[in-house]
Amino acid sequence: MADSGAAARTLPVLNAPIGHDSAPRHVSGEALYIDDIPEPRGLLHLHVGQSARAHARVTKLDLTKVRAAPGVVAVLTPVDIPGKNDISPFAGDDPLFAEGEVKFMGQALFAVAAETLPKARAAAALAVVEYEDLPPLVTAGAALAAGERIEPTQVMKLGDARAAVAAAPHSLAGHLNVGGQEHFYLEGQVALVVPGEGGDLHVWTSTQHPTETQHILARVLACPDAAVTVEVRRMGGGFGGKETQSVQWAAMAALAALKTRRPAKIRLDRDDDMVMTGKRHDFEVDWELGFDGEGRLKGAAFELNSRCGFSADLSHAINDRAMFHADNAYALQAAEIVSHRSRTHTVSNTAFRGFGGPQGMIAIEQALDAVALSLGRDPFDVRLANLYGVSGDLTPYGQTVTDSVAREIMLELAENCDYRARRAAVAKWNATNDHLKRGLALTPVKFGISFTTTHLNQAGALVHVYTDGSIHLNHGGTEMGQGLNIKVAQVAADAFKVPLSAVRITSTRTDKVPNTSATAASSGSDLNGMAALNACRMIQERLAAFALETYGAAPVYTPDGVRLGDQLMPFKAFVNAAYLARVSLSAAGFYKTPDIHYDRATHTGRPFYYYAYGAACSEVVVDTLTGENKVVRVDILHDVGRSLNPAIDLGQIEGGFIQGMGWLTTEELVFDAKGRLTTHAPSTYKIPTAGDRPDVFNIAIWRAGENREDTIHRSKAVGEPPLMLAISVFCALTDAVASVGGHRVMPNLDAPATPERLLAAMADVRSRAGG
Ligand code: MTE
Ligand code: HPA
Ligand code: MOS
């Protein structure tokens, strides 16, 4: 705790490129993750017995040998659950343990709690399970054909798109398969539960959603919410994979703790984590565009079908977000967006950075490439001609886009990265090189900020000022590496103009700030920053009344101390004086996003408070003999409004882009015909490594950025939008593939664009282009 008096005078903390508060601890190992917490005496370790079938009736589940195995203290099955056997966020279709019927391969049947993890694992293997096989629906296409869906098909409409396409001078149609993605957070799913007195439970878990964990555990255990305290210091990554799907493991550990009166821990092995938890939804997209001779859109129709898995989870909202982003940054004029949500016998897919937005967005980018190719125009020009703010401002859901800066950003980026000259250089290279082909693309991102489920846009914070001038800061958001805690601490330090070191960052806890939303939808700093500021302002109002009465002047907070008329008082002395005058120095702050509303029945409204924008230009080189490829240069210009912390924001932009690049290039999930995930370890599932980082990687925060809405210090959310900048890599690869046919035919390229797919696409292009 630094002195908050004049001696500690420092640079402003707001808008400053301050490193992540945990960075030194991440490096030294001091940062505590759940598995680092010293294990309590009597701790039990859990291992989960899984279904070996994707779809079957369980005709026999004999756990006699499991119960008798060495070290086993308890075996948990549905009969042990005092409350509901359901861990779903709302739909009631996610059992903690499957009962009667299994619906995906890897589904939990039972859990063993034993003295050690190896003993729990060995015991679980002794289960005798017999199945009566039922036919599995593995793909979204198969489920759609069978009429299996998690909710009725949704439709969003603006005008009459089919008629507009038919009446347009030109039209094109295409189909795109977009793969899913494994979260691959470095810290896997883990929870530690310690029972207290009178049925109290303290739960340490790696979750983006402490409140939902608390509420669902109470529902499973049939106890009041108030008996369960959930605590999260940090996650080793979440990326959406811990918005709902962390709850099952915490619930198992809580059930074990309740049943045995002993502490219990569960930590999934990487393979189990990959098999048992949901991923990004893969999509099949059919698109149709009508346009004029310059590539200006007259109408667009999209039909989306996603693999939701066996239960709803968050698939309603995720598929809604795919619809919201089918336009990306472009005014469609007339639109019809049809969205099927297919129920399959695979693990329930879930939130993943972008929350359906990336899958919705990529189709129009491929479609605009097809339009440009068909007209012999540069795709960059076709994109520019269709931007919101250029050719219209009405979205397919009736929200008017008033803040589009996509054109400014694209033009500035094109200038900075020498787009036109490089377009010519790439064409020249391709004309003279047979084996290595280059591709180039510059694409924009427009991403809607707010939970589209309007009531989730609220947050709380708890601020205590102690009499030594130190400040305890708590809020409802969770830290998953994205730098939320440092940003909110900057907001609090700035409010009192004290050094950042005066603000103590603490664990997120449901007993400090209740009834919170998941840290998701990129809204963590928008919501919790405002709630923390609100708490600071409440304390300041009381301090102002005290100061007026005592010193005859309103206090002005400065880095030198508190100015009271012509007197300057150290912050510590001022708050101590207030304490002696019996002024409360603690407050619970609250915030809710204004001016948003949405009617899901008609899919119209203003779901987003504002939009975040960015653009990326990627250049790739593809080996036409092998399909191997490399992203050689990337330039990014991204809008974060007035950045709360440019160092953190740059990290989010870089990390998001690379994660998106992995999704679209090397990360491939393969389910076999029986519904088995065959890519369930890093040996077969390839995430980007340091060597995949582009050799030239220029990232800039847009200097002119400023949020036109009254967000926390006019900043913009940054967590998810940059992932979609990686669509430029996919388009650049498409451009390289098209070059083998002299840009005469549009490649059929699905995502991820693996070397195999690139090779096949090039062969196909050559044959269609006539050699
Ligand atoms: N960055 C890191 N390092 N780790 C993460 O798990 N999750 C992303 C993004 N950036 C994530 C991350 C996702 S999916 C979201 S929604 C946001 O961070 C959540 O945090 P925020 O709302 O505070 O931006
Ligand atoms: N994003 C992330 N999580 C969510 C959303 C969203 O828009 N809506 C509900 N949960
Ligand atoms: Mo992020 S997918 O909204 O957790």
Side-chain angles (χ1 to χ4, degrees):
M1 174 32 229
D3 188 348
S4 47
R9 192 180 313 151
T10 45
L11 293 169
V13 294
L14 209 61
N15 314 120
I18 298 167
H20 195 290
D21 46 287
S22 291
R25 300 178 201 173
H26 289 151
V27 176
S28 70
E30 197 199 334
L32 288 183
Y33 295 88
I34 311 281
D35 213 25
D36 300 321
I37 296 173
E39 295 187 344
R41 195 155 47 91
L43 180 69
L44 297 176
H45 300 264
L46 267 65
H47 187 77
V48 186
Q50 303 176 19
S51 161
R53 298 286 194 283
H55 191 201
R57 257 186 292 282
V58 180
T59 52
K60 183 176 178 182
L61 178 62
D62 182 352
L63 301 174
T64 319
K65 286 184 183 154
V66 182
R67 291 180 205 282
V72 171
V73 175
V75 177
L76 308 171
T77 64
V79 300
D80 299 296
I81 298 172
K84 277 188 79 177
N85 182 16
D86 175 42
I87 48 122
S88 69
F90 70 94
D93 57 355
D94 272 311
L96 179 61
F97 298 115
E99 257 178 303
E101 188 179 326
V102 288
K103 295 183 175 172
F104 75 94
M105 207 179 288
Q107 189 170 18
L109 285 169
F110 64 92
V112 186
E115 302 288 351
T116 69
L117 184 54
K119 284 178 179 165
R121 197 182 284 135
L126 301 174
V128 178
V129 193
E130 287 172 10
Y131 304 92
E132 184 187 315
D133 284 331
L134 298 166
L137 293 166
V138 178
T139 64
L144 183 64
E148 284 292 327
R149 53 196 74 184
I150 59 130
E151 70 164 332
T153 293
Q154 303 291 305
V155 181
M156 193 179 269
K157 270 187 165 205
L158 173 67
D160 186 343
R162 299 285 172 186
V165 171
H170 305 275
S171 67
L172 277 176
H175 179 85
L176 174 65
N177 294 323
V178 187
Q181 189 176 21
E182 158 63 30
H183 300 86
F184 226 103
Y185 25 62
L186 289 183
E187 179 200 40
Q189 304 280 358
V190 57
L192 167 67
V193 179
V194 177
E197 60 183 69
D200 284 354
L201 291 174
H202 197 106
V203 181
W204 283 267
T205 173
S206 187
T207 186
Q208 293 172 239
H209 207 339
T211 284
E212 193 161 84
T213 307
Q214 175 200 21
H215 294 177
I216 292 177
L217 264 50
R219 187 169 79 201
V220 169
L221 303 176
C223 70
D225 291 349
V228 181
T229 299
V230 175
E231 176 167 355
V232 179
R233 177 58 184 88
R234 62 171 64 74
M235 281 160 274
F239 305 112
K242 296 171 182 169
E243 184 170 341
T244 57
Q245 303 221 353
S246 49
V247 173
Q248 187 165 16
W249 324 111
M252 282 184 198
L255 187 59
L258 195 74
K259 188 171 170 178
T260 64
R261 311 295 307 147
R262 289 170 66 168
K265 177 159 130 179
I266 183 165
R267 192 199 67 223
L268 298 185
D269 291 347
R270 179 63 64 179
D271 285 65
D272 290 340
D273 196 312
M274 289 182 75
V275 167
M276 300 182 81
T277 65
K279 299 151 203 332
R280 183 187 294 286
H281 295 60
D282 51 310
F283 273 65
E284 298 178 4
V285 188
D286 285 301
W287 55 263
E288 197 180 356
L289 298 184
F291 51 97
D292 69 14
E294 272 147 83
R296 283 187 294 243
L297 295 178
K298 299 293 170 196
F302 297 91
E303 189 169 347
L304 314 170
N305 182 22
S306 77
R307 172 155 49 186
C308 296
F310 81 100
S311 70
D313 186 77
L314 298 172
S315 289
H316 294 59
I318 290 164
N319 285 277
D320 285 0
R321 197 174 266 277
M323 297 168 82
F324 287 127
H325 290 85
D327 59 347
N328 191 14
Y330 311 107
L332 302 180
Q333 315 303 337
E336 180 185 292
I337 303 164
V338 176
S339 163
H340 309 294
R341 293 104 196 262
S342 291
R343 186 192 296 279
T344 52
H345 297 105
T346 52
V347 66
S348 196
N349 283 330
T350 194
F352 196 137
R353 206 170 194 171
F355 205 74
Q359 299 97 309
M361 201 180 277
I362 189 172
I364 193 156
E365 293 302 339
Q366 185 177 63
L368 289 178
D369 280 342
V371 168
L373 187 140
S374 75
L375 297 172
R377 299 177 71 90
D378 188 326
F380 177 63
D381 294 319
V382 171
R383 290 190 163 94
L384 281 180
N386 286 296
L387 293 173
Y388 284 113
V390 176
S391 71
D393 53 19
L394 193 59
T395 63
Y397 43 94
Q399 176 160 356
T400 304
V401 179
T402 56
D403 63 2
S404 181
V405 290
R407 181 180 154 83
E408 288 91 321
I409 289 177
M410 288 174 77
L411 290 176
E412 195 174 319
L413 178 66
E415 180 76 23
N416 294 347
C417 78
D418 224 5
Y419 175 82
R420 299 282 179 192
R422 284 170 60 209
R423 168 62 65 204
V426 164
K428 194 171 162 200
W429 169 282
N430 287 339
T432 49
N433 283 275
D434 282 343
H435 296 330
L436 296 182
K437 296 289 185 188
R438 291 187 179 250
L440 183 70
L442 194 161
T443 62
V445 168
K446 160 179 145 288
F447 193 75
I449 303 298
S450 291
F451 285 95
T452 60
T453 310
T454 303
H455 79 266
L456 297 176
N457 296 285
Q458 57 172 308
L462 181 66
V463 173
H464 306 318
V465 178
Y466 293 103
T467 52
D468 69 348
S470 66
I471 296 171
H472 173 103
L473 171 63
N474 201 270
H475 56 79
T478 53
E479 177 65 45
M480 58 193 98
Q482 85 279 37
L484 173 62
N485 282 344
I486 189 80
K487 285 185 173 179
V488 181
Q490 286 173 271
V491 168
D494 176 71
F496 291 105
K497 296 288 184 285
V498 296
L500 198 53
S501 56
V503 178
R504 195 83 188 170
I505 290 168
T506 59
S507 295
T508 310
R509 293 177 60 128
T510 53
D511 57 352
K512 286 192 182 170
V513 178
N515 307 327
T516 56
S517 296
T519 306
S522 304
S523 64
S525 49
D526 280 16
L527 298 176
N528 296 287
M530 277 297 207
L533 186 60
N534 176 244
C536 294
R537 295 283 182 248
M538 286 164 75
I539 296 169
Q540 287 177 334
E541 273 175 34
R542 293 181 213 138
L543 287 170
F546 156 72
L548 277 174
E549 198 178 299
T550 312
Y551 308 100
V556 179
Y557 300 88
T558 80
D560 298 324
V562 184
R563 199 169 293 287
L564 299 147
D566 46 18
Q567 190 182 345
L568 189 67
M569 209 169 167
F571 182 69
K572 172 179 169 174
F574 176 61
V575 296
N576 197 47
Y579 160 73
L580 292 172
R582 295 187 290 178
V583 175
S584 165
L585 298 174
S586 169
F590 184 78
Y591 176 74
K592 57 178 183 196
T593 312
D595 305 329
I596 48 174
H597 54 90
Y598 192 64
D599 177 8
R600 202 167 176 267
T602 56
H603 286 296
T604 57
R606 186 196 179 196
F608 302 118
Y609 190 33
Y610 65 92
Y611 297 94
Y613 297 87
C617 180
S618 293
E619 182 171 342
V620 301
V621 57
V622 178
D623 184 330
T624 58
L625 301 176
T626 64
E628 285 169 286
N629 58 88
K630 180 136 182 70
V631 181
V632 291
R633 175 170 172 182
V634 173
D635 295 78
I636 291 173
L637 190 56
H638 195 78
D639 171 29
V640 293
R642 268 190 224 152
S643 175
L644 286 173
N645 183 328
I648 294 290
D649 287 350
L650 276 177
Q652 285 292 294
I653 298 167
E654 174 166 349
F657 178 89
I658 295 290
Q659 193 167 41
M661 187 181 90
W663 167 52
L664 293 173
T665 57
T666 61
E667 297 182 41
E668 186 171 27
L669 292 165
V670 180
F671 289 89
D672 70 14
K674 291 187 166 163
R676 179 190 307 272
L677 177 66
T678 60
T679 50
H680 53 76
S683 52
T684 44
Y685 185 80
K686 192 184 175 307
I687 61 170
T689 62
D692 296 311
R693 192 180 187 275
D695 295 337
V696 182
F697 200 7
N698 301 315
I699 306 171
I701 290 174
W702 192 43
R703 279 168 176 275
E706 177 180 55
N707 202 325
R708 294 182 199 169
E709 298 297 340
D710 188 15
T711 53
I712 185 73
H713 299 300
R714 301 279 170 181
S715 63
K716 282 191 177 184
V718 70
E720 295 167 288
L723 182 129
M724 286 150 276
L725 295 171
I727 293 173
S728 59
V729 173
F730 186 76
C731 292
L733 288 166
T734 305
D735 185 44
V737 171
S739 75
V740 307
H743 284 92
R744 287 190 299 281
V745 297
M746 179 65 190
N748 290 317
L749 187 62
D750 288 330
T754 57
E756 293 88 333
R757 288 214 176 85
L758 289 167
L759 208 53
M762 288 186 288
D764 172 61
V765 161
R766 273 196 207 93
S767 73
R768 281 189 291 131

